[in-house]
Amino acid sequence: MTCPILELKDLNKAYDALQVTRNLSLKVLPGEIHAVIGPNGAGKTTLIGQISGATPSDSGQVLFGGTNVTGWSVAERAKAGLGRTFQITAILPEFTVLENVALGVQAHEGHSFRFFRNAARDQDLNEKAASILTEVGLADRASLRAGNLSHGEKRMLELALALAGEPKLLVLDEPMAGTGPEETARLIEILLAVKQRCPMLLVEHDMDAVFKLADRISVLVYGEIIASGAPDEIRADPKVREAYLGEEELA
Ligand SMILES: Nc1ncnc2c1ncn2[C@@H]1O[C@H](COP(=O)(O)OP(=O)(O)OP(=O)(O)O)[C@@H](O)[C@H]1O
């Protein structure tokens, strides 16, 4: 049997009397995009915090690559290969796009930020960074100041920064938020390409994007997963239609 890259077992989190996630279990398998959808306030952000380690769970377990990481910090999980993106931006606006990614590669390789002292290493970092920029479609923006990128391009750069950490799993928090239709279409293509080497857990409100990207979808309502399955199963599930998705959205 394939070992899940991420397995959540009976996770719970309450804020005072408000139970935000409830006996929440799910798996992300190698090679797949598993989307989590649900109405506002369903607990998606809280769940991402529980996965990344930013929000301690009251009970339950997070297994990453088969290892129990429940008690691990954000930094420890990130080091183990849990990449999170589309959060508060880590982009350095005064640096070029290439420098941003090269610094990300440098940080991942365990060097502190020494700002490019060794020429040979610079070249190696720059080559790795350039290859990641090609992967996310930003090669022609490499020498631009990151602050001058469009909103959608900044999202691609955030993805590039996450990839610089060579993650074993990417947790994507609303990657399509604020992007226009063209950029969304581009981002979908890029994420489908990235999926070939990195599985993802995707939280996203854009249903069109979710149904194009996801191999499996879990539907979260009031902190509970009410349905989990292939996109067609979710589309046809009466509980999901009733609880969350409008009939017309699924037509
Ligand atoms: N730190 C906190 N303290 C108290 N209540 C919180 C806290 N964080 C979240 N909540 C509450 O938990 C519930 C779930 O919030 P959460 O942000 O996880 O939902 P969400 O599914 O991400 O919503 P959205 O789609 O709007 O981002 C909400 O009722 C929210 O008010």
Side-chain angles (χ1 to χ4, degrees):
M1 210 187 85
T2 318
C3 174
I5 183 69
L6 180 73
E7 181 169 9
L8 310 180
K9 286 186 180 173
D10 289 323
L11 283 187
N12 283 285
K13 177 71 191 175
Y15 291 110
D16 298 319
L18 182 68
Q19 190 69 40
V20 180
T21 54
R22 208 182 286 264
N23 299 330
L24 202 153
S25 299
L26 67 76
K27 291 176 186 172
V28 181
L29 300 175
E32 79 168 359
I33 297 183
H34 190 138
V36 176
I37 61 172
N40 289 336
K44 302 180 298 295
T45 306
T46 304
L47 174 63
I48 286 187
Q50 289 176 279
I51 295 170
S52 71
T55 305
S57 298
D58 298 334
S59 61
Q61 288 186 343
V62 179
L63 304 184
F64 184 55
T67 303
N68 186 346
V69 300
T70 314
W72 293 21
S73 67
V74 174
E76 286 166 336
R77 293 181 202 201
K79 206 165 167 215
L82 208 157
R84 187 180 161 194
T85 185
F86 304 114
Q87 50 181 344
I88 296 163
T89 177
I91 293 171
L92 302 167
E94 298 300 325
F95 287 75
T96 70
V97 170
L98 184 75
E99 285 165 347
N100 266 272
V101 183
L103 286 167
V105 175
Q106 188 183 35
H108 170 65
E109 290 184 352
H111 311 289
S112 53
F113 288 96
R114 266 183 269 143
F115 291 93
F116 311 107
R117 270 192 210 146
N118 174 311
R121 211 180 74 215
D122 285 4
Q123 196 184 347
D124 182 45
L125 291 175
N126 285 341
E127 276 168 16
K128 284 184 182 153
S131 142
I132 294 170
L133 286 179
T134 302
E135 197 175 353
V136 304
L138 282 181
D140 60 347
R141 295 286 191 267
S143 56
L144 214 66
R145 269 183 64 241
N148 289 340
L149 293 178
S150 72
H151 175 78
E153 288 170 337
K154 281 185 186 148
R155 300 243 124 175
M156 317 282 182
L157 179 54
E158 285 172 0
L159 177 61
L161 290 174
L163 291 174
E166 297 189 67
K168 297 193 177 83
L169 170 79
L170 270 176
V171 178
L172 306 178
D173 189 0
E174 295 195 38
M176 311 298 166
T179 58
E182 259 176 51
E183 282 176 333
T184 298
R186 233 177 111 206
L187 201 43
I188 288 172
E189 255 176 58
I190 289 163
L191 290 176
L192 284 172
V194 168
K195 186 181 91 160
Q196 302 307 315
R197 71 167 168 110
C198 186
M200 296 175 219
L201 184 131
L202 168 72
V203 168
E204 180 54 56
H205 279 290
D206 180 334
M207 284 307 117
D208 193 40
V210 165
F211 279 91
K212 280 186 179 137
L213 281 167
D215 299 289
R216 284 193 302 141
I217 300 174
S218 291
V219 183
L220 194 63
V221 178
Y222 294 121
E224 250 176 317
I225 293 184
I226 62 157
S228 194
D232 284 348
E233 292 172 289
I234 294 301
R235 216 187 275 274
D237 190 313
K239 287 196 304 288
V240 178
R241 285 176 174 269
E242 191 188 328
Y244 177 50
L245 294 157
E247 297 278 332
E248 69 287 355
E249 274 185 274
L250 293 169

